[in-house]
């Protein structure tokens, strides 16, 4: 799980919408991006300005598929012989 704290209201709203709709969200932190499902958003009542603690469950990257078929290891003439 990836947990971080933010005071950006726009980011919190975007993450709440992603959590409600069950979509993955991308969060950029310290130069790296984390993609996953939002597990929880908790407001810190004691902080001024308002701050939220957000927990994200990272998603495994999907393998990319090539749009071209794999290269043939043998020639067409070998198919006919």
């Amino acid at each position: 799980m990836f947990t971080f704290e933010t005071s950006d209201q726009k980011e919190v709203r975007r993450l709440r919408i992603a959590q409600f709709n069950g979509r993955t969200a991308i969060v950029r932190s310290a130069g790296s991006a984390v993609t996953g499902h939002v597990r929880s958003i908790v407001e810190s009542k004691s902080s001024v300005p308002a701050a939220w603690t957000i927990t994200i469950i990272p998603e495994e990257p999907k393998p990319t598929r090539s749009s071209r078929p794999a290269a043939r290891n043998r020639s067409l003439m070998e198919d006919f012989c």
Side-chain angles (χ1 to χ4, degrees), residues 2 6 17-18 23 29 31 43-44 66 70 73 75 77:
F2 176 72
T6 184
I17 291 169
R23 297 184 182 149
S29 177
E43 183 178 3
S44 301
S66 175
N73 292 335
S75 68
M77 290 307 293

Side-chain angles (χ1 to χ4, degrees), residues 17-33:
I17 291 169
Q19 180 184 23
F20 180 76
N21 291 325
R23 297 184 182 149
T24 58
I26 300 172
V27 178
R28 302 191 193 289
S29 177
S32 64

Side-chain angles (χ1 to χ4, degrees), residues 24 59-65:
T24 58
E59 186 176 80
E60 294 294 325
K62 295 181 182 177
T64 58
R65 289 185 47 189

Side-chain angles (χ1 to χ4, degrees), residues 4-80:
F4 71 102
E5 188 170 302
T6 184
S7 59
D8 185 4
Q9 292 179 351
K10 287 184 180 181
E11 185 174 26
V12 171
R13 184 172 192 275
R14 179 179 67 84
L15 293 172
R16 279 191 175 145
I17 291 169
Q19 180 184 23
F20 180 76
N21 291 325
R23 297 184 182 149
T24 58
I26 300 172
V27 178
R28 302 191 193 289
S29 177
S32 64
V34 176
T35 303
H37 287 88
V38 179
R39 180 177 180 131
S40 67
I41 300 174
V42 179
E43 183 178 3
S44 301
K45 299 284 186 182
S46 61
S47 64
V48 174
W52 293 268
T53 302
I54 300 165
T55 304
I56 294 182
I57 300 173
E59 186 176 80
E60 294 294 325
K62 295 181 182 177
T64 58
R65 289 185 47 189
S66 175
S67 60
R68 298 181 352 180
R72 294 179 56 106
N73 292 335
R74 54 195 168 127
S75 68
L76 287 173
M77 290 307 293
E78 291 177 8
D79 290 341
F80 298 112

